[in-house]
Amino acid sequence: MKARPGDAPWGNDRRGLAAKLARLGIRTHADLAFHLPLRYEDETALTAPERAPPGTPVLVQARVRRAEVALRPRRQLVVHAEGLVLRFLNFYPGQLRAFRRAADEGLLVRAYGEVRGGFFGAEMVHPRWRLVRADEPLAATLTPVYPTTAGLAQGVLRKLVAQALAEAAPEETLPAPLRQRYRLWGIGEALRLLHQPPPEADRAALAARTHPAWQRVKFDELLAQQLSMRIAYRARLTRRAPALGGDGPLLRRFLATLPFRLTRAQRRAIAEILADLGQPHPMQRLLQGDVGSGKTIVAAVACLAAVDAGWQAAVMAPTEILAEQHRRKFAEWLAPLGVRIAALHGEQSAAERRAALAALENGEPVIAIGTHALIEARARFARLALAVVDEQHRFGVRQRLALRRKGERASEALLPHQLMMSATPIPRTLAMTYYADVDVSVIDELPPGRRPVATRLVAASRRGEVLARIRAACAAGEQAYWVCPVIEHSREGDLQTALETHARLAAELKELRVALVHGRMPAAEKQAVMAAFAAGRIQLLVATTVIEVGVDVPAATLMVIEHAERFGLAQLHQLRGRIGRGGRDGVCILLYAAPLSAAARERLRIVYESHDGFEIAQRDLALRGPGEYLGERQSGLPLLRFADLVADEPLARAAREAAEALLDADPEAAARHVERWLGTRGELARA
Ligand code: ADP
Ligand code: MG
């Protein structure tokens, strides 16, 4: 019977070969075929020892003359061959015998490794070697070197792969027209070339993974990812959601009495969202806009559409401070219209909480605002039509899902609409992959009157000047933040530093009203401090990064970030976005401790040079790679093994286009392709 790609050829010896292969993620013939070489060794041609280029491993061959054990400079086996000396510091007695016999019989030694000039001429130390007769043929293809694991020799892996290719090569999953359209190699042809490249293959292209064979494999991988997400996208359109008209009385009154004129970008986002909410299918939309671009009011409009239609909305924020700020904003905007806000947070009184929970459970048309408290079991929404997740990247997939589940009503098979908001701009390349299963609205314009924040890089040794600057600003009626350094892997350390920094600054700036806010404070206390700062009663706010997301105090103009070199790029950009909101010029001082590492210097230079969140994100991506954005845990997306979203952007683009076309033309082929690449993980992608 012919072997099939899905078979596992090595039986079930869990502790032996099968276990080792499993450690490499190999369970079937097909997995073997897709276990691709890291690099190649060239044993297809011989190099004369005296002509071997320095530092490059080559295959040489020479007649063995004699072999002996030398004792100086240390004990070693020395093999003298014609024009070549081989040295082995570790050797077996059998090795000495073998070389001696080879010398007697006139055999050749064929050795692979680097050749160096030594006392006796060309020398190799510990080469890979084999004894051959003169007529033994050379390898016909380059020799693949595979990623492997302890106890699994390259030779074994090579044999298994070759066998898998010969007996159970993976079948083609892409229809011919699609292959032609993107000029893709057949999968069998591509895999054969990658495992067994002929000597004339373009080695530079193989090493750079730009060879058409690599392109085909990477395309397949990207396509599988796109397909799984587009399948999820299409599946959602078969689900039902409450259709919310975008033209109710509350909405109309609110839009007529807005506290400011919406920007063009805000109006466009609102139109896109209301159009989705009007559909009887669940919206899944990301609202992306730089810090301060005005996403909150867009969310408020969306929530009003739900209330107008007699449904409930929920707004979930990652921190108590932010949830409280939303609660105040929503109350300020919507309470005059008679809309009820139900706040849920960690530290409210039992009576308040009971009232809020009861409103949700009774199906009253309220807007629930809170932190993770919204997804706790006791929060039961009777009529949730819209789930808004602010700063969505701060939540895990499960939490975002959990909020949406709150509105799932099994009896009517209804799902709520979902609006995710993020100020962390995802670089365009990643957005294409990361958001292939959602729709995206972008606010690419700041409200009028914003001035760019001037950024200064100041060495920590000039702290005195910075204090003088704070005094001057506060004397002029302005307010300032002092952001404490992050202590890596230690929340205790963060807290300790914040307490010390606060004590020190309060002593140094006796004439100012200095306060502290940090993540471990009780919510009520945090709220009191933030409210006092917002009201101008506090002049200098010492803070940990709890203020990083969302906090909006327009009168704050100055921000000092201590040990700025320890912060990530996105974090610095977010922090800086807290100031310069009130029409006065903002200044952000990045205090750094010299000497800076090269990486830290580069990060600070980028924040110094750029104010554009998208550009910063793009450069962050180039510096750190996509892992930071696309961690499997955070996104629910399987990470890519072969393709690189930065280097392979054109391929990702093609895969995205191809995914749509394939789903339309041949859904079965699409399903087969996803199955090949993701197996059951495809379903995990996202819901
Ligand atoms: P973000 O997008 O970072 O969440 P916010 O929604 O907090 O931004 O808005 C930042 C500030 O700008 C808030 O004080 C908000 O009231 C104000 N704002 C939003 N839109 C406008 C606008 N069109 N004109 C003037 N101010 C605006
Ligand atoms: Mg915000």
Side-chain angles (χ1 to χ4, degrees):
M1 202 176 79
K2 188 175 161 14
R4 285 176 325 189
D7 293 347
W10 36 82
N12 251 340
D13 63 328
R14 297 298 322 163
R15 272 165 309 148
L17 183 57
K20 285 176 199 151
L21 289 170
R23 253 184 272 148
L24 297 171
I26 300 172
R27 285 179 186 78
T28 64
H29 279 302
D31 293 340
L32 269 176
F34 283 95
H35 190 68
L36 296 175
L38 294 169
R39 58 189 174 81
Y40 303 95
E41 291 177 347
D42 185 357
E43 298 178 44
T44 65
L46 292 171
T47 304
E50 68 277 12
R51 253 181 256 129
T56 313
V58 289
L59 187 69
V60 301
Q61 179 172 298
R63 190 164 305 278
V64 180
R65 292 274 179 238
R66 65 195 160 84
E68 66 200 13
V69 175
L71 296 174
R72 300 229 158 60
R74 50 183 278 210
R75 194 179 131 82
Q76 56 187 282
L77 168 62
V78 182
V79 178
H80 294 269
E82 222 161 88
L84 179 69
V85 171
L86 309 182
R87 295 181 185 280
F88 299 90
L89 297 175
N90 304 307
F91 61 95
Y92 301 104
Q95 226 164 316
L96 175 63
R97 282 197 301 275
F99 278 115
R100 285 201 165 142
R101 205 172 327 117
D104 291 344
E105 292 174 16
L107 294 186
L108 303 163
V109 61
R110 200 173 267 179
Y112 184 88
E114 283 179 30
V115 179
R116 309 193 298 209
F119 183 76
F120 297 105
E123 274 194 15
M124 292 174 100
V125 178
H126 276 253
R128 196 145 56 64
W129 61 277
R130 213 151 64 80
L131 295 169
V132 297
R133 304 198 172 276
D135 51 5
E136 206 156 306
L138 293 165
T141 67
L142 300 182
T143 309
V145 179
Y146 294 105
T148 186
T149 180
L152 185 57
Q154 285 292 336
V156 175
L157 210 41
R158 277 178 201 139
K159 251 187 227 132
L160 285 171
V161 171
Q163 213 177 328
L165 285 180
E167 293 171 12
E171 285 149 27
E172 182 59 70
T173 48
L174 300 188
L178 193 150
R179 283 202 322 268
Q180 277 150 18
R181 160 122 214 228
Y182 296 101
R183 302 214 177 85
L184 295 170
W185 281 28
I187 191 65
E189 185 189 9
L191 290 174
R192 261 192 311 282
L193 184 124
L194 291 175
H195 288 293
Q196 297 156 358
E200 68 277 10
D202 181 345
R203 296 181 200 192
L206 281 173
R209 301 195 167 188
T210 52
H211 193 283
W214 267 117
Q215 298 287 101
R216 166 62 208 252
V217 170
K218 293 199 243 185
F219 181 90
D220 277 25
E221 179 176 45
L222 291 164
L223 179 69
Q225 193 186 50
Q226 287 293 321
L227 281 173
S228 74
M229 295 178 88
R230 295 310 290 174
I231 288 170
Y233 183 94
R234 290 177 180 217
R236 209 174 49 244
L237 293 184
T238 65
R239 302 289 306 261
R240 300 196 62 76
L244 310 171
D247 189 29
L250 291 171
L251 199 61
R252 255 192 277 160
R253 267 170 63 207
F254 184 54
L255 291 174
T257 59
L258 284 179
F260 36 66
R261 222 179 111 73
L262 294 174
T263 61
R264 199 181 33 82
Q266 282 171 317
R267 285 200 302 274
R268 191 181 53 219
I270 287 174
E272 287 166 356
I273 291 167
L274 290 181
D276 276 5
L277 294 180
Q279 300 297 314
H281 310 294
M283 165 176 88
Q284 180 86 320
R285 190 171 276 276
L286 174 77
L287 176 59
Q288 194 174 311
D290 213 342
V291 275
S293 61
K295 295 183 290 295
T296 316
I297 198 147
V298 174
V301 166
C303 290
L304 266 190
V307 176
D308 249 336
W311 290 82
Q312 300 170 324
V315 181
M316 182 163 75
T319 64
E320 297 278 0
I321 289 183
L322 193 49
E324 166 62 14
Q325 182 180 291
H326 283 334
R327 199 197 54 72
R328 266 190 292 122
K329 278 247 163 80
F330 274 60
E332 176 192 322
W333 291 332
L334 306 181
L337 304 176
V339 175
R340 242 186 93 191
I341 312 284
L344 274 186
H345 54 80
E347 313 239 342
Q348 66 197 149
S349 76
E352 274 176 326
R353 168 178 309 248
R354 253 196 320 275
L357 290 173
L360 300 181
E361 197 158 358
N362 297 338
E364 287 171 45
V366 298
I367 301 176
I369 300 182
T371 55
H372 304 78
L374 289 178
I375 49 176
E376 283 168 13
R378 59 186 162 194
R380 280 185 290 270
F381 292 81
R383 287 176 65 76
L384 184 63
L386 171 66
V388 180
V389 182
D390 193 17
E391 307 291 348
Q392 59 95 19
H393 57 286
R394 289 298 205 89
F395 292 96
V397 209
R398 274 171 226 295
Q399 295 169 317
R400 294 190 299 239
L401 266 179
L403 184 60
R404 214 176 71 187
R405 293 246 163 82
K406 290 285 177 186
E408 218 163 343
R409 288 150 45 105
S411 54
E412 299 173 41
L414 280 184
L415 271 185
H417 301 283
Q418 186 157 29
L419 178 64
M420 298 177 289
M421 306 204 285
S422 177
T424 300
I426 301 279
R428 213 169 2 97
T429 332
L430 291 190
M432 209 158 51
T433 316
Y434 190 56
Y435 294 129
D437 62 346
V438 306
D439 296 300
V440 182
S441 293
V442 179
I443 304 186
D444 52 3
E445 179 182 13
L446 293 181
R450 295 286 166 78
R451 316 249 191 105
V453 173
T455 303
R456 310 243 180 283
L457 296 174
V458 178
S461 53
R462 290 167 55 200
R463 193 164 183 276
E465 293 167 45
V466 174
L467 294 185
R469 174 123 208 185
I470 294 178
R471 280 194 195 96
C474 292
E478 298 174 21
Q479 290 169 274
Y481 295 100
W482 186 289
V483 181
C484 298
V486 285
I487 309 295
E488 222 168 321
H489 308 308
S490 160
R491 307 188 67 184
E492 294 297 336
D494 274 352
L495 179 60
Q496 192 54 32
T497 315
L499 294 173
E500 284 165 16
T501 308
H502 172 246
R504 180 169 174 201
L505 285 168
E508 284 168 327
L509 300 165
K510 282 213 174 58
E511 70 278 28
L512 298 185
R513 293 184 300 278
V514 184
L516 171 68
V517 65
H518 60 75
R520 303 275 205 87
M521 269 158 88
E525 217 173 297
K526 250 186 278 181
Q527 280 165 21
V529 173
M530 290 312 295
F533 188 58
R537 292 196 301 275
I538 291 169
Q539 293 170 291
L540 176 63
L541 183 64
V542 181
T544 55
T545 52
V546 291
I547 60 156
E548 171 191 339
V549 290
V551 170
D552 184 40
V553 177
T557 53
L558 183 60
M559 173 174 287
V560 180
I561 303 180
E562 201 176 348
H563 277 296
E565 75 278 4
R566 295 190 195 162
F567 290 77
L569 265 182
Q571 219 175 7
L572 288 172
H573 180 64
Q574 282 269 339
L575 283 167
R576 184 173 56 180
R578 304 294 122 228
I579 51 172
R581 295 183 158 211
R584 287 210 236 181
D585 285 343
V587 177
C588 179
I589 296 176
L590 304 179
L591 271 183
Y592 65 86
L596 287 173
S597 71
R601 182 185 305 277
E602 179 63 12
R603 276 201 306 277
L604 293 182
R605 197 173 61 77
I606 292 171
V607 211
Y608 176 72
E609 283 176 359
S610 176
H611 283 268
D612 177 346
F614 281 91
E615 190 191 330
I616 290 178
Q618 195 74 48
R619 296 172 74 169
D620 201 14
L621 173 65
L623 279 184
R624 294 191 300 171
E628 299 282 335
Y629 290 90
L630 293 182
E632 183 156 18
R633 187 190 61 78
Q634 208 235 38
S635 66
L637 263 183
L639 294 177
L640 295 166
R641 283 163 70 198
F642 302 122
D644 171 333
L645 287 175
V646 181
D648 297 316
E649 180 178 346
L651 215 48
R653 206 174 281 291
R656 166 155 201 163
E657 184 187 272
E660 283 298 308
L662 188 59
L663 278 175
D664 288 337
D666 195 345
E668 271 161 38
R672 272 198 305 279
H673 189 78
V674 172
E675 168 72 27
R676 144 91 52 84
W677 277 89
L678 302 177
T680 49
R681 278 188 308 157
E683 290 152 29
L684 183 145
R686 272 186 301 177

